[in-house]
Amino acid sequence: MQLSLVELFPEFNRSLFLDIYAKMSVDTKTKRPTLCTLAGQRVPAELKIRCQRKSINAFPEGTIYKLDVRLVDLKNKKPYFSAVKNNKIQRAIEFYDHNLRVQKGGCSQPKLSGSMPGAQLAR
């Protein structure tokens, strides 16, 4: 059974999401690195995540990160996520092999087994 503080405290809204996987890519319009959510999670796929560029600049395009995000839904604007702890954005250990290949110049898509990427840990 999973405990949800949202159900216990109705004054909280469902805008904070923990342990979300995102892939770093370069935006075609701005030529800046951005994070977008991966498919197969409890959040919509390809939703952009606002974060500090210096937190994700150290690694190449295609790197997978795991972070906590807050939903930002403004009127008449497309919703997006904002990173909760910009200084503590880390690469996802669940995608260690994928991230290592990306760093070495390999460019393959991450394999999602099941609905959540954490299933790759059991080998």
Side-chain angles (χ1 to χ4, degrees):
M1 182 172 126
Q2 186 177 13
L3 177 64
S4 172
L5 292 177
V6 174
E7 294 166 1
L8 295 176
F9 300 102
E11 62 271 11
F12 291 156
N13 58 10
R14 297 177 191 265
S15 65
L16 186 64
F17 298 89
L18 305 176
D19 298 332
I20 300 301
Y21 296 94
K23 181 178 181 180
M24 195 269 273
S25 60
V26 177
D27 191 331
T28 55
K29 293 179 184 177
T30 63
K31 305 294 185 209
R32 294 180 176 173
T34 60
L35 289 177
C36 290
T37 57
L38 291 178
Q41 302 182 83
R42 61 188 182 275
V43 296
E46 299 297 320
L47 203 58
K48 288 196 175 186
I49 299 173
R50 184 184 72 178
C51 66
Q52 293 177 353
R53 284 192 302 272
K54 69 178 183 177
S55 300
I56 60 174
N57 268 345
F59 299 102
E61 184 176 3
T63 302
I64 306 295
Y65 292 89
K66 183 177 182 179
L67 62 159
D68 300 335
V69 295
R70 182 177 310 280
L71 180 65
V72 178
D73 193 8
L74 303 173
K75 290 183 180 180
N76 301 325
K77 301 261 184 170
K78 183 177 179 181
Y80 64 92
F81 286 122
S82 179
V84 174
K85 296 180 181 178
N86 273 307
N87 297 332
K88 296 189 179 185
I89 296 175
Q90 297 179 349
R91 291 174 294 161
I93 192 71
E94 292 84 352
F95 288 96
Y96 178 79
D97 293 333
H98 168 78
N99 287 340
L100 194 59
R101 279 193 308 272
V102 168
Q103 276 183 265
K104 291 181 179 180
C107 194
S108 63
Q109 291 292 325
K111 295 178 183 176
L112 294 178
S113 58
S115 62
M116 288 301 293
Q120 288 185 342
L121 280 177
R123 288 190 181 184

